[in-house]
Amino acid sequence: MKWVKFRVKTITEAEDIIISTLYDIGLEGAQIEDKVPLTALEKEQMFVDILPEGPEDDGIAYLSFFVEKKEDGSLEVQGESVDAETILTRVKAELEDLRDFMDIGEGSVTVDETE
């Protein structure tokens, strides 16, 4: 199974609003990569070993969204068959709209394919 990964570079303060905005255009299941320390409650709810100290929070976050690639090479978002370029254009448009009222940091988007 192949997936197309859309990865947004942003700031930690903008994580939630970007995830919510991109969810509205059909990108679900965000993966968050940041250096914000976990709370005690979050650690209790996880079933993994956590290193005692991680790197210091630098305020940068990466949000990844995955869309399954069909056998014919197309992607499907909200029941619509689209290509990666169309999704990328939509993501960039949403990020530009967010810039009008909040700081989202760099806001760059990369696209990769993964299995």
Side-chain angles (χ1 to χ4, degrees):
M1 185 177 296
K2 292 188 179 182
W3 301 81
V4 177
K5 174 182 175 182
F6 298 87
R7 188 172 191 233
V8 179
K9 183 176 182 182
T10 186
I11 57 175
T12 54
E13 291 83 15
E15 288 174 354
D16 291 336
I17 191 72
I18 290 174
I19 291 169
S20 176
T21 299
L22 297 184
Y23 179 84
D24 290 344
I25 65 167
L27 298 181
E28 302 174 357
Q31 173 185 330
I32 302 170
E33 299 170 57
D34 60 24
K35 296 177 185 161
V36 175
L38 297 173
T39 66
L41 179 61
E42 290 170 330
K43 289 179 184 178
E44 288 175 13
Q45 294 174 343
M46 298 181 80
F47 298 102
V48 296
D49 292 328
I50 299 174
L51 298 174
E53 290 296 322
E56 188 174 322
D57 181 17
D58 58 4
I60 295 174
Y62 294 92
L63 308 175
S64 297
F65 302 86
F66 299 86
V67 180
E68 185 177 354
K69 192 171 189 177
K70 298 189 175 241
E71 289 182 21
D72 66 0
S74 68
L75 307 174
E76 187 174 308
V77 176
Q78 294 182 324
E80 177 187 6
S81 184
V82 294
D83 60 10
E85 192 61 38
T86 300
I87 297 172
L88 179 61
T89 299
R90 291 177 185 172
V91 168
K92 287 182 176 181
E94 292 295 330
L95 293 175
E96 285 307 311
D97 287 347
L98 286 174
R99 281 187 199 283
D100 291 341
F101 69 93
M102 68 178 295
D103 180 15
I104 65 165
E106 186 175 307
S108 61
V109 184
T110 58
V111 181
D112 292 311
E113 190 174 292
T114 186
E115 289 192 33

